[in-house]
Amino acid sequence: MRRVICSKQYNFVRFDAITATEITVTSRVSKQPLTTADIFVEVMAQSNPGNFDLEHEVYAGSGHIYHTDTPIYSDSHAPHSVSVSAPQPTYSNDNRGPPGYYDHAQQYSQNEYSIEKMQSSASYDPYNNNSGPPIQSQPINPSSQPASTASLKSGSQLRQPPNHDAPLLPSQTFGSGLGNRTEDFSQPGKFGVVDIDTVYRAVPSNGMFFGPYLRYGNLDLDTGTWYGSVMVVIGSKVAPYFQIHPTNDIGQIRAIEARQIYQFENFRFFRYNIALKQLPGNTGQFWTYAITHQGNTLTYKFIVAGMQETEWKFMAFSCADFSLSVKEGERAELGGIGYLWEDVITKHHQIGGLHAMLGGGDQIYADRMWMEISSLQDWLGTKGKINRKNYEWTPRLDHDINLAYFFYYTNHFDRVGIRDCLSQIPNVFQIDDHDIFDGYGSYPEYMQESQVFKNIGRVAFHFYLLFQHQTTEEFLRTSPDPFDLFTVTGNGWHFLKYMGSTCVVLGPDTRAERQKRSIIGEITHRELFHRLELLPPSVRHIVLMLAVPIVYPRLTAVENILNGVKHTKRAINGAWNVIGKATRKVASVVGAEKQVKSGFDSVKKAFGKSGVMGSLVSGFGEIDLLDDLADHWTHADHETERTFLVRNLQRIARENCVRVTFVSGDVHCCGMGRFFNPSDPDNYQLMYQVITSAISNVPPPGAVMRLLHNRDKIYLPEIGNKEEKTDTREEMIEFFERDVDGEKLDLRKLLPRRNYAIAALEPDGTMAWDLYVQKGGRYGVAEHTQKYGPLIVPPIAQPGSEPNVEGYGVPDGSGYDEQYRRQQMMMAPGGVYGPGGLAEGMNYMNLKP
């Protein structure tokens, strides 16, 4: 079998006919048919001219190579009986095998300059840019010049390619991509400061590139077009070859040109923009995409809903990593980071495909930088608020922080379970603090406005846009696309995406504009309201993604204690004496008097926080938990904004007959809350709060859950009015009758176990939410999760129609109606439709009482 290198002048051929036994190809040069024993190439120069590599004279867009002596479909890739003369698309069970009909792409990729050869040469290191300084976002530091990696290429700061054959040092094992093909239970930050130029180097688990990452863009209701994209990150100048086709129709296969959107060191970010026509009617369609590099093809499959299909299914999650404080034993006991992710991909296949995956924040945890990066230690050791605020942002810091975020994403997104979901379920991601670092946006002004914080935020937002939205701020500003991401004030990027014609998902950025007394700026609020007011009449449901829950119990007592500590601390020379007293008080509050330190840590875990240094006084010298409490919508500092948001959403719900539901994470436990009018529980004021957290991080201990299960009756004030009792009440719902082991629960509002949620839409706008809660630990457990639900969210009746909400009501506290009691019995664990019930395994979309 000979190789053919297609230059820009020679060997340009095309197909005249393709059969299973013979391929006839006419040469553009000789005008004669070529022999059937050869391998032939079609160079797609006209449709893909941008992929010609001038250095090696190879088209990255080369295609259609078949060997005539080999059947198009081999038995190893055909799980069903397939006639050779009438080929049908077939796949291995994991969707990652290279079917024979992608051989054409495999052959072209063998002509590339081998990445393996490049890695073995002394001159190649994808982490060491040998071709000039990388593209970088500009540092926020008026007193210094923009950093350049080139300025670090001297003396002891010159980075050497790692020896991949050398045994790992203890400090390398916890986060190194060298071992990320299996679950890693080790604890980041355990060994303190590390040599990040050696340790922060991930290696793709597929041996070729990081990714693919499949992203959902939006839906054009007028044309019936699904928009999305796929991105890969690769240490090569030539983009992998990308093809896509309907899974059941190989005849529609087509190539998509790669677009390089960024380069970090020698790694290039290639994005493939996808626009797919929906099938007419209510039936969805599976699409397969194939990525070929170095003679190897990986295939993946995802589903696109039909044009009139309104029964979309999507999952929601948050907190996809462990906090620094979680020990190795606890990580292993829970089954590691990927345990529930494997359950997600299983459910994805069982229910016929999830249309989207909503990431509610903390997709990565970057807190470890404060313990592992040496250049940050000088800032942490700097005394005085003014000195910290004006601390210079240096080229060394810029290099270290850029490398850190690149590593955090490439390493974490390549973990077991996560990489499968990212490649097969179109994702929609929102930022939260751990995507930057713990509590970002809620620290005092002298820290939040410091050069160090602002530049870390700049780099974090840059890589957030790259890895979670497959774009850069430069692209967004020079070629704005309001159909995808949009900005209002220039700070923060928001999205409004259709989940079919009856539902939209609104994802505001709650970090970029955050200040001590506001989460989202008023101008941004009003623009978001305006966009919701302009939604088409077909929209019956708005899902508002808020990273932190807007309905959640208060911890006012804990805050009062810590505020006392804050003022006492100023008058005492030894801060650690105060810490001892404070932790004893907090431990007493949570009912753990004999466990002083664990009592304090428990309160922190209730808010999904570990603290930068995991102590009362954070690594920044502040009372750490106060910043964590200030992060919440229910904090007193945000009461006015919270009221403004909810009351305006009520107005939009009333005027547009559209139901609003909040979905949030952050707090490491799951549950359901609601705003409602006690005198009319199903009217427009009914807004449910779905809390799903965490899919990977550890849950809070039982002592904290007791603290959170208060019975206070709380009412939402009117705008500009502080009346104690109004027409809108808020509460957490007693959603959990039994624990996953069947034992009756005393605390039924919040469940401290790892979890994720799945939502299903129905044609009338009704939405059903299920929570999938982890049952056991470690791998090999027969059933990974227990299902709780569904929570039925009724639509608002359209003008002139009667509401069809029988049995959907939720008690207002004054007593249960018979229909609701019957529904609860059926949906509870052990009930017909509940976890472990007779209907377990049925399509949950049909589980109506």
Side-chain angles (χ1 to χ4, degrees):
M1 187 179 295
R2 70 177 173 86
R3 296 180 179 180
V4 177
I5 297 181
C6 300
S7 74
K8 56 185 176 180
Q9 296 176 340
Y10 305 107
N11 297 330
F12 188 94
V13 296
R14 64 181 178 82
F15 288 116
D16 285 344
I18 301 177
T19 67
T21 58
E22 183 178 10
I23 301 177
T24 303
V25 181
T26 302
S27 170
R28 188 179 182 183
V29 177
S30 65
K31 307 297 185 183
Q32 299 296 321
L34 301 179
T35 62
T36 59
D38 287 330
I39 297 174
F40 303 117
V41 180
E42 175 189 16
V43 179
M44 305 175 67
Q46 301 303 317
S47 62
N48 211 1
N51 278 7
F52 185 78
D53 187 341
L54 295 176
E55 181 178 349
H56 304 110
E57 292 193 312
V58 175
Y59 276 101
S62 305
H64 298 311
I65 303 174
Y66 295 106
H67 194 283
T68 57
D69 296 334
T70 304
I72 292 180
Y73 293 91
S74 62
D75 292 338
S76 62
H77 300 115
H80 307 291
S81 176
V82 178
S83 170
V84 174
S85 60
Q88 300 290 326
T90 55
Y91 300 90
S92 57
N93 291 332
D94 61 1
N95 294 327
R96 295 172 69 88
Y101 52 82
Y102 294 121
D103 287 349
H104 56 287
Q106 296 171 8
Q107 180 61 36
Y108 113 80
S109 66
Q110 293 174 358
N111 301 318
E112 299 174 13
Y113 187 40
S114 169
I115 190 171
E116 287 79 10
K117 291 180 181 178
M118 294 168 73
Q119 288 177 337
S120 64
S121 69
S123 63
Y124 177 76
D125 174 12
Y127 288 91
N128 199 354
N129 187 0
N130 300 318
S131 57
I135 306 168
Q136 296 283 4
S137 55
Q138 295 301 309
I140 306 171
N141 189 350
S143 63
S144 64
Q145 296 298 318
S148 169
T149 307
S151 65
L152 304 174
K153 309 292 184 174
S154 60
S156 61
Q157 293 188 5
L158 176 64
R159 289 170 290 146
Q160 300 297 325
N163 179 5
H164 295 312
D165 297 324
L168 291 176
L169 300 174
S171 62
Q172 289 178 298
T173 59
F174 60 77
S176 173
L178 302 177
N180 66 0
R181 288 170 177 79
T182 58
E183 184 59 70
D184 182 9
F185 302 120
S186 53
Q187 180 184 3
K190 179 179 179 180
F191 300 98
V193 173
V194 300
D195 179 4
I196 65 172
D197 286 323
T198 301
V199 176
Y200 280 14
R201 291 172 178 266
V203 175
S205 60
N206 61 30
M208 296 181 289
F209 49 76
F210 296 109
Y213 313 126
L214 173 64
R215 179 176 179 269
Y216 175 54
N218 216 329
L219 193 67
D220 189 328
L221 300 181
D222 294 330
T223 63
T225 305
W226 183 99
Y227 291 96
S229 60
V230 170
M231 187 179 77
V232 298
V233 180
I234 187 169
S236 170
K237 292 183 178 180
V238 181
Y241 187 57
F242 186 98
Q243 294 169 288
I244 191 168
H245 63 85
T247 298
N248 293 321
D249 189 356
I250 184 64
Q252 293 189 44
I253 191 169
R254 59 189 172 94
I256 295 179
E257 182 180 357
R259 180 181 186 183
Q260 180 177 328
I261 62 171
Y262 189 70
Q263 179 182 341
F264 175 77
E265 306 291 337
N266 277 341
F267 284 96
R268 288 167 169 81
F269 291 68
F270 290 110
R271 169 172 165 161
Y272 305 86
N273 293 325
I274 303 172
L276 304 174
K277 296 296 292 185
Q278 296 175 281
L279 285 181
N282 297 317
T283 303
Q285 183 180 33
F286 278 98
W287 287 79
T288 295
Y289 66 94
I291 301 177
T292 302
H293 183 67
Q294 295 299 322
N296 298 301
T297 296
L298 300 178
T299 64
Y300 307 86
K301 185 169 65 173
F302 66 98
I303 191 169
V304 173
M307 191 178 299
Q308 281 75 45
E309 186 175 357
T310 56
E311 296 92 277
W312 279 51
K313 304 179 291 291
F314 53 90
M315 65 87 69
F317 74 93
S318 67
C319 307
D321 200 351
F322 287 116
S323 298
L324 279 176
S325 58
V326 183
K327 306 301 182 185
E328 293 178 14
E330 194 172 4
R331 292 166 181 253
E333 192 64 31
L334 286 168
I337 290 172
Y339 188 91
L340 284 187
W341 286 102
E342 293 191 334
D343 193 69
V344 170
I345 202 68
T346 299
K347 294 291 190 300
H348 169 65
H349 294 303
Q350 286 178 348
I351 67 178
L354 291 163
H355 296 98
M357 175 170 67
L358 309 184
D362 299 342
Q363 277 71 250
I364 65 166
Y365 275 58
D367 310 346
R368 57 192 289 185
M369 70 171 67
W370 296 103
M371 298 187 70
E372 296 176 354
I373 298 179
S374 61
S375 56
L376 286 174
Q377 305 310 307
D378 290 339
W379 184 84
L380 288 172
T382 299
K383 304 298 182 182
K385 294 181 179 180
I386 300 300
N387 293 334
R388 280 194 170 187
K389 183 174 181 179
N390 296 329
Y391 189 94
E392 184 181 10
W393 183 258
T394 65
R396 179 79 249 179
L397 277 168
D398 199 71
H399 157 261
D400 289 354
I401 301 304
N402 274 275
L403 178 61
Y405 280 103
F406 179 80
F407 171 73
Y408 298 155
Y409 276 107
T410 53
N411 182 64
H412 186 64
F413 279 11
D414 204 29
R415 291 184 183 275
V416 172
I418 297 179
R419 59 178 177 249
D420 297 311
C421 292
L422 289 176
S423 62
Q424 299 178 54
I425 309 173
N427 65 68
V428 177
F429 287 154
Q430 181 182 49
I431 196 170
D432 199 18
D433 60 335
H434 289 284
D435 295 295
I436 310 168
F437 61 81
D438 186 11
Y440 182 87
S442 296
Y443 289 97
E445 184 272 342
Y446 81 91
M447 297 171 66
Q448 205 62 54
E449 293 300 316
S450 69
Q451 295 299 322
V452 170
F453 268 43
K454 287 167 70 175
N455 277 285
I456 290 176
R458 168 186 58 83
V459 176
F461 274 102
H462 171 70
F463 280 98
Y464 159 72
L465 288 175
L466 269 174
F467 279 94
Q468 300 194 38
H469 293 288
Q470 301 178 13
T471 189
T472 66
E473 191 164 1
E474 180 183 1
F475 281 125
L476 290 171
R477 295 194 186 281
T478 57
S479 303
D481 181 9
F483 193 61
D484 194 351
L485 295 178
F486 63 92
T487 186
V488 179
T489 63
N491 292 323
W493 297 93
H494 323 281
F495 55 81
L496 185 66
K497 299 179 184 290
Y498 286 89
M499 300 287 163
S501 61
T502 63
C503 177
V504 296
V505 172
L506 173 63
D509 186 330
T510 59
R511 288 291 154 187
E513 296 180 333
R514 181 179 288 261
Q515 298 177 1
K516 179 173 176 55
R517 295 194 177 276
S518 68
I519 295 175
I520 302 172
E522 183 179 349
I523 295 175
T524 299
H525 272 299
R526 293 192 183 279
E527 174 61 22
L528 297 179
F529 298 151
H530 179 64
R531 289 176 181 253
L532 295 180
E533 291 164 353
L534 297 178
L535 290 173
S538 63
V539 174
R540 308 294 305 281
H541 207 111
I542 297 170
V543 175
L544 179 51
M545 293 177 65
L546 294 177
V548 179
I550 198 165
V551 179
Y552 196 67
R554 277 71 163 168
L555 280 179
T556 308
V558 176
E559 185 177 6
N560 290 338
I561 291 172
L562 291 174
N563 269 314
V565 173
K566 182 177 181 179
H567 294 295
T568 306
K569 169 174 166 272
R570 295 172 181 169
I572 295 182
N573 238 340
W576 289 103
N577 293 331
V578 182
I579 292 173
K581 295 177 182 178
T583 50
R584 280 194 291 273
K585 290 181 181 179
V586 175
S588 176
V589 170
V590 300
E593 294 86 346
K594 296 182 180 180
Q595 302 175 23
V596 174
K597 186 178 184 304
S598 65
F600 176 76
D601 290 342
S602 296
V603 178
K604 294 171 64 61
K605 286 181 179 180
F607 284 84
K609 310 292 180 184
S610 63
V612 173
M613 294 302 178
S615 60
L616 179 63
V617 176
S618 75
F620 307 136
E622 295 293 317
I623 303 298
D624 196 21
L625 184 56
L626 284 174
D627 296 319
D628 296 338
L629 292 170
D631 225 31
H632 277 240
W633 283 96
T634 51
H635 190 271
D637 284 347
H638 307 306
E639 181 180 354
T640 300
E641 180 183 5
R642 181 175 180 266
T643 300
F644 177 75
L645 172 60
V646 176
R647 288 297 184 182
N648 273 283
L649 290 174
Q650 287 181 343
R651 173 183 58 81
I652 293 170
R654 182 185 71 249
E655 294 173 355
N656 293 15
C657 294
V658 60
R659 180 70 70 194
V660 177
T661 299
F662 304 99
V663 59
S664 308
D666 185 77
V667 293
H668 297 192
C669 56
C670 58
M672 302 290 186
R674 63 170 179 161
F675 293 106
F676 70 106
N677 186 331
S679 62
D680 189 1
D682 290 326
N683 74 357
Y684 65 91
Q685 293 165 300
L686 173 63
M687 299 179 183
Y688 282 106
Q689 167 74 77
V690 178
I691 301 174
T692 172
S693 174
I695 194 171
S696 295
N697 215 338
V698 297
V704 170
M705 303 314 296
R706 288 195 293 274
L707 181 67
L708 293 172
H709 277 74
N710 60 64
R711 298 186 177 276
D712 298 340
K713 286 190 175 182
I714 302 175
Y715 290 84
L716 180 75
E718 296 286 353
I719 294 178
N721 195 330
K722 295 277 188 176
E723 290 183 15
E724 291 187 4
K725 191 170 183 179
T726 66
D727 62 349
T728 302
R729 189 176 145 200
E730 60 181 275
E731 67 176 7
M732 297 302 300
I733 299 171
E734 291 194 345
F735 194 70
F736 307 98
E737 178 78 19
R738 298 179 182 273
D739 204 347
V740 293
D741 58 3
E743 185 177 344
K744 270 202 165 186
L745 290 169
D746 294 325
L747 306 176
R748 302 179 182 180
K749 297 179 180 179
L750 294 165
L751 191 61
R753 292 188 180 275
R754 302 202 298 182
N755 62 89
Y756 63 91
I758 292 181
L761 286 160
E762 296 190 6
D764 63 353
T766 295
M767 179 174 287
W769 285 90
D770 288 318
L771 287 170
Y772 288 87
V773 180
Q774 181 170 339
K775 290 186 68 173
R778 298 191 177 276
Y779 292 98
V781 177
E783 293 180 87
H784 282 197
T785 55
Q786 187 82 36
K787 182 173 75 67
Y788 290 85
L791 172 77
I792 305 296
V793 182
I796 295 178
Q798 296 291 321
S801 65
E802 292 296 323
N804 180 23
V805 294
E806 182 181 1
Y808 292 160
V810 178
D812 61 5
S814 60
Y816 291 84
D817 62 82
E818 184 60 29
Q819 184 74 8
Y820 180 82
R821 182 161 42 241
R822 182 172 66 86
Q823 176 184 327
Q824 287 295 95
M825 292 174 60
M826 298 171 74
M827 299 301 176
V832 175
Y833 294 130
L838 297 176
E840 185 75 36
M842 293 174 59
N843 187 334
Y844 66 92
M845 290 173 57
N846 298 323
L847 301 187
K848 277 190 174 182

